[in-house]
């Protein structure tokens, strides 16, 4: 196996959507053969919003089951829960002292939350990208597979690494974002201008990995389209249809022109049925396998316990190097 490393994570703030599957997890599965991969359940990122404690615990374990059910091999990859490896928090504090207010002020995700006047605008929301940089840099990661919305955070992570290396000499590997060509930003089915997301107020806009075939069919049938009556990829004029084409393309591997040809003269009804069918078949094995894995609590515990142990072993040399460079007195 190559020594090149991958880090990525998802926060357990809601049920995983088709967006996070296509934008992130699907690529994680493909990359696991080529890299040493760490796939994390970033529960410390999740507490930037208020959670019911029982729900957070349940979601973290469900997300773990869904990672494995999606095809991530827990032996080959390091799958674990962020809060189990305290080195993330340690490095995050340090990197906070090498992150500039001006940089953090420019982060779109943070700016959106401020401009929407969201409740509970806490300091964690502001320093969120610093913790994310710590996640990535702790493991000397080469590649970070994420959806489009996270690219800016990975770029900030690179800037922090470059700054630190400039002051102290080569310390961190400078990582690259890996954003898929198709499916980097799956849109809401009810509002094709905005991202499909697990915390959307309108659950009809998102397809969840655990949705039943019936729920998927209903949601796709109700998806917003247009009056053009042509299955063509045009995000300006036909954002809803283009989104469904992206989903269909990711699920079947077909190119856009092949899809256009397939539905020539057939109307949106037939297209929507085909999209729903493809998504149902894509998600069915993942949902069934997740349920199986979730029922085996001992197996889940084994995965996250051994994952955290292996992650901590990889994190330790980086942290040791960093504190040495900073001038902290070594531990006795
Ligand atoms: P939240 O609603 O809690 O902010 P989210 O649904 O936006 O969550 P994240 O946990 O932020 O999902 O994202 C997990 C990963 O999936 C990230 O790499 C993100 O870029 C990717 N991702 C999330 N939603 C989409 C989407 N609609 N299209 C493509 N990629 C996505
Ligand atoms: N911020 C990301 C989740 C996340 C992440 C990371 C992604 C936290 N740490 C490190 C890639 C690498 C999100 O909101 N989806």
């Amino acid at each position: 196996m190559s020594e090149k490393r991958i880090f990525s994570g998802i926060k357990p703030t809601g049920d995983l959507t088709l967006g996070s599957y296509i934008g992130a997890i699907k690529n994680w599965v493909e990359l696991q053969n080529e890299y040493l991969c760490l796939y994390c359940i970033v529960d410390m990122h999740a507490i930037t919003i208020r959670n019911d404690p029982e729900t957070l615990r349940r979601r973290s374990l469900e997300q773990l089951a869904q990672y494995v059910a999606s095809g991530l091999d827990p032996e080959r990859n390091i799958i674990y829960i962020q809060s189990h490896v305290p080195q993330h928090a340690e490095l995050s504090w340090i990197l906070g002292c090498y992150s500039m207010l001006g940089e953090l002020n420019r982060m779109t995700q943070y700016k959106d939350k401020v401009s929407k006047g969201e409740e509970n605008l806490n300091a964690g929301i502001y320093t969120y990208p610093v913790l994310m940089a710590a996640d990535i840099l702790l493991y000397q990661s080469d590649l970070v597979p994420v959806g489009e919305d996270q690219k800016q955070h990975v770029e900030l992570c690179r800037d922090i690494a470059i700054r630190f290396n400039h002051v102290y000499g080569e310390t961190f590997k400078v990582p690259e974002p890996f954003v898929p060509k198709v499916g980097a930003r799956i849109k809401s089915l009810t509002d094709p201008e905005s991202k499909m997301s697990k915390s959307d107020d309108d659950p009809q806009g998102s397809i969840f990995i655990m949705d039943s075939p019936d729920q998927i069919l209903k949601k796709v049938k109700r998806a917003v389209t247009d009056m053009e009556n042509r299955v063509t990829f045009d995000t300006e004029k036909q954002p809803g249809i283009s989104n469904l084409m992206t989903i269909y393309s990711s699920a079947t591997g077909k190119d856009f022109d092949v899809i256009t040809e397939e539905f020539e003269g057939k109307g949106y009804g037939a297209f929507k049925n085909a999209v729903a069918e493809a998504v149902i078949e894509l998600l069915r094995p993942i949902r069934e396998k997740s349920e199986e894995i979730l029922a085996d609590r001992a197996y889940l515990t084994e995965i996250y316990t051994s994952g955290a142990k292996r992650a901590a072993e990889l994190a330790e040399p980086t942290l040791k190097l960093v504190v040495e460079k900073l001038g902290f007195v070594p531990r006795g």
Side-chain angles (χ1 to χ4, degrees):
M1 184 191 287
S2 145
E3 246 318 287
K4 289 213 171 226
R5 292 183 188 170
I6 280 189
F7 183 96
S8 198
I10 300 180
K11 52 192 185 316
T13 42
D15 299 325
L16 289 183
T17 70
L18 182 65
S20 31
Y21 179 75
I22 292 176
I25 301 175
K26 186 167 172 273
N27 307 300
W28 300 2
V29 175
E30 281 161 22
L31 292 161
Q32 69 180 336
N33 300 322
E34 288 170 58
Y35 291 82
L36 171 59
C37 305
L38 294 106
Y39 294 128
C40 192
I41 289 132
V42 289
D43 54 350
M44 289 176 0
H45 280 96
I47 61 167
T48 50
I49 61 162
R50 290 266 188 278
N51 297 280
D52 164 58
E54 274 315 312
T55 308
L56 179 60
R57 229 185 314 275
R58 175 177 54 77
R59 280 187 177 145
S60 299
L61 295 174
E62 283 173 359
Q63 199 170 298
L64 177 64
Q66 286 161 17
Y67 280 7
V68 177
S70 299
L72 296 176
D73 177 348
E75 307 227 329
R76 196 178 329 163
N77 306 291
I78 301 178
I79 302 179
Y80 70 106
I81 299 174
Q82 189 185 30
S83 63
H84 292 181
V85 181
Q87 286 88 345
H88 288 248
E90 280 183 71
L91 184 62
S92 179
W93 171 258
I94 294 168
L95 295 182
C97 302
Y98 296 84
S99 307
M100 297 301 152
L101 297 184
E103 289 174 322
L104 296 178
N105 289 340
R106 281 196 293 277
M107 294 296 111
T108 315
Q109 205 167 56
Y110 158 76
K111 285 200 298 191
D112 282 352
K113 289 188 190 244
V114 174
S115 71
K116 279 191 203 141
E118 270 192 24
E119 275 177 47
N120 187 24
L121 279 174
N122 57 70
I125 290 173
Y126 189 59
T127 56
Y128 181 107
V130 179
L131 177 59
M132 181 163 159
D135 297 340
I136 298 166
L137 300 181
L138 195 51
Y139 301 101
Q140 307 288 352
S141 312
D142 295 273
L143 208 63
V144 186
V146 285
E148 179 66 40
D149 62 311
Q150 294 302 314
K151 205 170 158 210
Q152 192 187 32
H153 288 161
V154 180
E155 270 150 17
L156 174 66
C157 168
R158 287 170 55 86
D159 292 341
I160 297 171
I162 291 167
R163 179 172 304 123
F164 196 98
N165 288 349
H166 185 69
V167 178
Y168 296 103
E170 203 56 31
T171 309
F172 295 117
K173 175 81 68 71
V174 181
E176 298 283 339
F178 177 96
V179 179
K181 285 198 183 70
V182 175
R185 196 176 183 85
I186 301 293
K187 306 291 173 52
S188 156
L189 298 181
T190 49
D191 172 13
E193 299 300 327
S194 60
K195 195 187 92 160
M196 180 184 287
S197 104
K198 53 176 133 69
S199 54
D200 195 333
D201 291 337
D202 175 13
Q204 295 308 314
S206 303
I207 293 174
F208 298 100
I209 287 189
M210 299 303 277
D211 274 350
S212 67
D214 198 40
Q215 284 168 313
I216 297 172
L217 183 63
K218 281 204 183 103
K219 287 180 185 178
V220 174
K221 281 196 160 165
R222 290 176 52 181
V224 168
T225 54
D226 50 59
M227 309 295 282
E228 304 278 328
N229 226 19
R230 272 181 302 131
V231 179
T232 37
F233 192 81
D234 181 340
T235 50
E236 292 284 308
K237 283 204 208 118
Q238 299 186 261
I241 286 294
S242 302
N243 189 40
L244 290 177
M245 285 180 81
T246 305
I247 292 173
Y248 189 60
S249 170
S250 300
T252 60
K254 293 178 186 169
D255 291 338
F256 293 144
D257 43 354
V258 173
I259 299 172
T260 298
E261 214 171 289
E262 184 179 350
F263 295 98
E264 185 79 65
K266 287 199 184 143
Y268 289 165
F271 177 50
K272 281 182 165 181
N273 279 335
V275 174
E277 198 49 41
V279 173
I280 289 168
E281 291 319 316
L282 177 74
L283 297 183
R284 186 195 303 281
I286 302 176
R287 177 169 46 88
E288 289 174 356
K289 188 96 187 122
S290 295
E291 278 161 4
E292 220 174 86
I293 296 170
L294 256 185
D296 190 349
R297 182 56 210 257
Y299 179 51
L300 284 175
T301 309
E302 189 187 306
I303 295 172
Y304 70 66
T305 309
S306 110
K309 190 163 165 283
R310 289 161 68 200
E313 277 164 16
L314 289 182
E316 210 34 61
T318 303
L319 203 57
K320 200 156 166 261
L321 179 66
V322 169
V323 300
E324 214 174 272
K325 298 229 175 190
L326 289 172
F328 290 173
V329 174
R331 283 174 210 186

